[in-house]
Amino acid sequence: DGVISNRRVWLHTPDEPGVPDGLVVDHEGCVWSARWDGWKVDRYDPDGDHMFEVKLPCQRPTSCTFGGDDLGTLIITTARTGLETSELAQQPLAGDLFTFESETKGLETRYFAG
């Protein structure tokens, strides 16, 4: 009937720098989460345990997705929005697109045909 039920918090990370922004799920069921103002993308296993992080040379990662022929490339977007001139001088790559070659593959896109 489309009603959401059994709502609960899956992961709470108040001690991590930044806040969760865009995310993607890989074929192992792990979540990759961009951390706005956190300088990184984190990977969590399906139970919410932190596996590792991909550090970035800019403060504001916004989202991530898998691409490439084998869906093994994590593509990460970043922002330069709201950064002061002095901050931009310290992170000239802010707003750029980054890639990370992962040993884990992404999921194929499924389209709804309705």
Side-chain angles (χ1 to χ4, degrees):
D1 63 2
V3 175
I4 297 173
S5 62
N6 195 24
R7 292 174 49 146
R8 61 199 177 281
V9 174
W10 172 72
L11 181 65
H12 186 60
T13 59
D15 297 330
E16 287 290 317
V19 294
D21 204 349
L23 61 83
V24 67
V25 177
D26 64 30
H27 83 278
E28 296 176 356
C30 296
V31 172
W32 298 71
S33 174
R35 299 291 296 199
W36 177 269
D37 282 338
W39 299 82
K40 63 181 180 168
V41 172
D42 287 315
R43 184 176 188 229
Y44 299 94
D45 71 16
D47 294 323
D49 293 322
H50 188 263
M51 298 178 75
F52 67 88
E53 63 188 22
V54 177
K55 294 183 181 183
L56 297 169
C58 52
Q59 173 177 342
R60 296 187 168 159
T62 56
S63 196
C64 50
T65 191
F66 283 95
D69 292 336
D70 65 351
L71 295 176
T73 303
L74 185 70
I75 302 166
I76 305 164
T77 58
T78 66
R80 51 190 295 123
T81 303
L83 295 175
E84 301 292 330
T85 304
S86 60
E87 293 172 308
L88 288 170
Q90 294 175 350
Q91 47 186 309
L93 299 177
D96 283 1
L97 188 70
F98 296 88
T99 60
F100 172 76
E101 295 305 319
S102 174
E103 294 178 11
T104 305
K105 308 298 182 207
L107 297 170
E108 290 185 34
T109 300
R110 304 282 184 203
Y111 295 100
F112 175 75

